[in-house]
Amino acid sequence: MLSGGGNLGALQVGMLRALAERHVVPDLVLGCSVGALNGVAFAAEPELSGVRRLEALWLSITSDSLMPSSWLPATFQLARKGESLHGNEGLVETINRILEVQRFEELTVPFQCVATDLDSATESWFDEGELLPALLASAALPAVYPVVHIDGRRYMDGAIVNDIPLSRAVALGARRIYVLHVGQSGRPRGEIKRPLDAAVIAYWIARQSRLARDLSAVPRNTEVLVLPPGERPQIRYDDFSHTQELMTHGYLSTSRYLDARVGHHRALPGEHDLGESA
C-alpha cells in the first residue's frame, strides 16, 4: 500500500527495492497519488528488475518536465484565473513512460488506485479499464494540476480523502499489509512563522489522525507493517534534485527495519508495528 507524497515518492522506490531484495511479492497493490504511479509500476513487474526500471525513470524526472516554471512570482500564479498552476501534459508523459501495459487487467499483480470524486466528496477506487485516466485522477494535486474528467464525473488527488488507504486493504481482506508512506516520521516543527507552517501542521494532524483511526480498526488477525521513511531533506514540492538521496534513505531505512524484525514474516497476528525512523 503506497501513500501520496509528490516528489517524496522517491522514498517509496527505495522501499520497494528493500522489499524486492527480500522476495516480498504482493498479492495486491494499492496506491494513492504518486503512490499510484509507483504502485502500478511494481504491479506490472513486482521484482528487482521492475524496481531498477522505476529508479531510472525517477532519476530522469526534472521539475520542468512535470511542472514547467513560470516567470510570474508564486503569489501572482496563485491569484491568476484558471483551475491549476500547470497543465498535466508533463504528468501524462511521465505516466506513459511508467506504463508497460494500458489496462488494469493486463498487470501482473492486481492493482487499485484512489481518487477524490468532487461531485460526491467521497473516495473513488479504480480497478478496471484504462490505467492512464485513473492514474491522472489519483495524482491530480489540487491547484497544481487540473481536475480530471472521467465518464462525466470530476476527480482530484486521492490524498484529499484517503492518503494512506489502510482501510481499503482491510476491507479487501488483506492479512499482511506493508505500508509505504512518505510523510514526516515525527511531528513537524510546532512554531508557526508563516501561513504555510500552519497548513503543514494541519495536514500532519489530519493525516496522522486518519492513520491512527484506521490502525485501531484493523482486525487482530491482520498484521500491519508501516515502513519508516527515514530522515530526509526538507524540500519544495517541485524540487526533484534530491531523488537519489531520497531513494537511498528509503532503501536503508526500510532495510534496517525489516532486518531488525527477526522472523518478521512469521510475526504474530494482530501486531501493528509503526516502526521508528532510522
Side-chain angles (χ1 to χ4, degrees):
M1 195 197 73
L2 297 87
S3 77
N7 52 357
L8 297 179
L11 286 164
Q12 292 174 342
V13 182
M15 294 174 175
L16 289 172
R17 171 175 278 278
L19 290 172
E21 286 183 351
R22 288 154 182 80
H23 308 292
V24 176
V25 180
D27 301 299
L28 170 69
V29 178
L30 303 177
C32 174
S33 196
V34 73
L37 274 58
N38 287 331
V40 76
F42 199 56
E45 196 172 354
E47 52 195 46
L48 270 177
S49 57
V51 176
R52 294 190 189 100
R53 182 173 177 272
L54 190 57
E55 288 171 345
L57 187 143
W58 266 90
L59 288 171
S60 70
I61 293 176
T62 64
S63 298
D64 282 345
S65 67
L66 282 178
M67 305 168 186
S69 58
S70 171
W71 58 271
L72 290 172
T75 51
F76 283 93
Q77 292 186 60
L78 288 170
R80 68 181 174 81
K81 290 184 178 181
E83 64 179 274
S84 62
L85 292 174
H86 307 285
N88 61 10
E89 296 83 5
L91 184 58
V92 169
E93 181 180 350
T94 298
I95 293 174
N96 280 329
R97 291 172 60 199
I98 290 173
L99 293 178
E100 295 183 297
V101 297
Q102 301 304 311
R103 300 181 63 83
F104 282 86
E105 296 82 1
E106 298 172 327
L107 294 167
T108 302
V109 172
F111 167 76
Q112 299 183 15
C113 64
V114 64
T116 299
D117 186 323
L118 291 184
D119 300 302
S120 64
T122 59
E123 63 186 76
S124 182
W125 284 87
F126 297 89
D127 61 2
E128 61 181 5
E130 294 185 23
L131 285 162
L132 177 58
L135 294 169
L136 272 178
S138 185
L141 188 63
V144 176
Y145 292 123
V147 170
V148 175
H149 297 258
I150 302 176
D151 296 331
R153 300 194 70 82
R154 300 176 301 155
Y155 296 95
M156 292 182 72
D157 197 307
I160 299 170
V161 288
N162 203 350
D163 185 38
I164 309 175
L166 178 61
S167 57
R168 180 68 172 183
V170 171
L172 292 171
R175 289 294 172 261
R176 174 176 293 125
I177 305 170
Y178 291 88
V179 180
L180 284 68
H181 78 109
V182 300
Q184 293 198 352
S185 55
R187 181 183 295 273
R189 295 182 180 89
E191 61 270 19
I192 299 177
K193 297 182 178 180
R194 48 184 183 159
L196 181 59
D197 296 332
V200 168
I201 291 174
Y203 172 69
W204 181 90
I205 292 172
R207 196 172 192 260
Q208 295 301 314
S209 178
R210 173 66 187 264
L211 178 58
R213 290 198 307 272
D214 287 349
L215 280 170
S216 68
V218 172
R220 291 189 58 80
N221 63 344
T222 300
E223 180 188 9
V224 180
L225 293 88
V226 183
L227 305 183
E231 297 297 332
R232 55 176 175 76
Q234 297 296 316
I235 58 177
R236 283 173 49 91
Y237 77 96
D238 58 353
D239 183 357
F240 288 85
S241 65
H242 296 269
T243 294
Q244 183 63 68
E245 181 182 358
L246 291 169
M247 289 193 298
T248 300
H249 277 310
Y251 171 74
L252 293 176
S253 181
T254 296
S255 295
R256 287 192 287 261
Y257 169 68
L258 293 175
D259 292 344
R261 292 177 57 88
V262 178
H264 77 276
H265 57 290
R266 297 187 296 275
L268 294 175
E271 180 181 6
H272 304 158
D273 193 332
L274 284 173
E276 290 298 324
S277 174

